[in-house]
Amino acid sequence: MSPATSPAAAPQAPDRATGRERRYDIDLLRVLCTAAVVLVHASAEFIDAGHRTTGILGDTAGRFAVPAFFAMAGWAALSGAPVRDEARLLARLGRILRPMALWTALYLLASYVSGGNRDQAGEEAVRALFGSVEAAFHLWYLYAYVPLLLLLGVVVLVVRGRALPRRSAVLLAALAVAPALLGDVTTLTGWAPPGWAWSVPLSSVVYAVAGAALLAAPRRGPRALWAAAAAVALVVLAVYQLTVRHPAAYGSAAVAAVTFAVLGTVAGVRVPERARPLLARLSDASFGTYLVHLVFVTLLAGPAAGHLPAGPWAPVALAVTTVAAAALSFAVSLLWGRLGWRAWLG
């Protein structure tokens, strides 16, 4: 990782020669969102165990994380660390796809060893090429993030270089036509391939572009107003999820309101100098944390929720297991970073 700039979204690393000043507020937002993802998945364990209210409130508190990651991806691609040439764009994709492939294989192997999918191991492996699988369901985000990063990178190269990056454009076109092509394959052969997940919803593109504008803006208004808006939006989202729909779609108005209010609250915040080295290390370890955290959520939050009787202790148990799972996930990611394994483990 370069000290010059911070990656905006969990999987992305900047080019080392950007010469830009590091945005520690982006580092803070990145670490916050990574912890929020852990909270969301721990909350799902509590919902599955019957602690619905506690789980939904926990999910509400972390629901902004994924849209905020898309927003930070847009900031990095369009403003913070835009690629200078096609080689760097493809290198960024490689820094995402290598750990993604390895961790998908590890989660599938763990599921096979534990007896979870022995009868469908081959089918699950094939499905992983088309879209996320149950053993590594949290990696669905990367199936949307990769096309988004590719799209924004091609746009930047075309606008700035006024030339078409051929290999990236061909790859982008292949991702675009794949769903229709697979449908034609089904019609012609009768074989129904797994669902295609390598695509980015329009809402995520909007989060990326609007989030980039907000994070890059020199003036954002009083932080207290953003914080107040975030608090109100969280209450509205909690009511919505408890009474109308859970989980709320990431493209819903309630989630968007929380997301942009959180972005406005954190963006531009001054991080004390003594805290910057630790924050930078945690930020650098966030992608690895995102990749491994499901292990600790399953080991800690699942059993705790399953053995917890109904009563007021569920919120405490959720908080404790989330903090423990996040701490362990960051710790192991920091460890393999020190060992020089980040290129493969994230």
Side-chain angles (χ1 to χ4, degrees):
M1 293 291 298
S2 166
T5 184
S6 170
Q12 186 170 327
D15 298 319
R16 294 180 180 274
T18 58
R20 296 175 182 267
E21 182 181 356
R22 184 155 190 157
R23 287 278 303 268
Y24 289 99
D25 58 329
I26 301 294
D27 282 334
L28 177 61
L29 185 60
R30 189 175 180 221
V31 173
L32 176 65
C33 288
T34 304
V37 168
V38 180
L39 173 60
V40 167
H41 291 147
S43 298
E45 297 286 347
F46 277 75
I47 293 173
D48 291 343
H51 306 285
R52 181 176 182 273
T53 300
T54 294
I56 289 180
L57 291 178
D59 179 271
T60 298
R63 200 94 192 130
F64 69 90
V66 168
F69 275 134
F70 284 123
M72 289 186 284
W75 172 83
L78 301 175
S79 177
V83 291
R84 297 181 179 181
D85 53 51
E86 186 177 28
R88 288 191 173 119
L89 174 57
L90 295 177
R92 283 189 177 184
L93 295 179
R95 290 198 294 270
I96 301 167
L97 293 172
R98 280 193 303 270
M100 178 182 180
L102 179 59
W103 278 100
T104 298
L106 290 175
Y107 279 109
L108 286 173
L109 178 61
S111 179
Y112 178 82
V113 170
S114 65
N117 67 338
R118 291 187 176 179
D119 295 335
Q120 300 177 332
E123 181 181 343
E124 285 286 280
V126 172
R127 284 183 56 205
L129 299 175
F130 292 81
S132 60
V133 292
E134 182 61 27
F137 69 88
H138 65 303
L139 300 186
W140 73 266
Y141 164 74
L142 298 181
Y143 290 87
Y145 181 86
V146 168
L148 175 64
L149 180 63
L150 182 61
L151 173 63
L152 296 179
V154 169
V155 169
V156 167
L157 292 176
V158 169
V159 172
R160 294 192 173 189
R162 302 187 183 282
L164 183 65
R166 293 181 178 84
R167 289 175 295 171
S168 299
V170 169
L171 180 57
L172 188 62
L175 293 177
V177 304
L181 179 61
L182 292 175
D184 294 340
V185 168
T186 300
T187 300
L188 293 173
T189 67
W191 174 62
W196 184 257
W198 293 95
S199 61
V200 54
L202 178 59
S203 61
S204 298
V205 178
V206 173
Y207 278 126
V209 176
L214 178 58
L215 293 172
R219 299 176 183 176
R220 304 177 188 87
R223 196 177 310 281
L225 289 181
W226 284 108
V232 173
L234 280 170
V235 172
V236 172
L237 178 58
V239 173
Y240 175 82
Q241 292 211 111
L242 286 168
T243 61
V244 180
R245 178 182 175 182
H246 175 266
Y250 286 121
S252 68
V255 174
V258 173
T259 300
F260 286 110
V262 170
L263 291 175
T265 302
V266 179
V269 68
R270 186 183 182 280
V271 177
E273 290 190 13
R274 64 180 179 276
R276 292 178 182 180
L278 175 60
L279 181 62
R281 289 196 297 271
L282 292 175
S283 178
D284 295 349
S286 289
F287 185 30
T289 300
Y290 160 76
L291 292 170
V292 74
H293 79 275
L294 198 61
V295 173
F296 296 107
V297 167
T298 302
L299 291 175
L300 298 177
H307 292 87
L308 193 69
W313 291 105
V316 176
L318 175 59
V320 171
T321 54
T322 297
V323 169
L328 289 170
S329 301
F330 272 109
V332 296
S333 182
L334 288 168
L335 175 61
W336 71 58
R338 291 181 65 88
L339 295 174
W341 298 346
R342 199 165 297 290
W344 286 99
L345 294 178

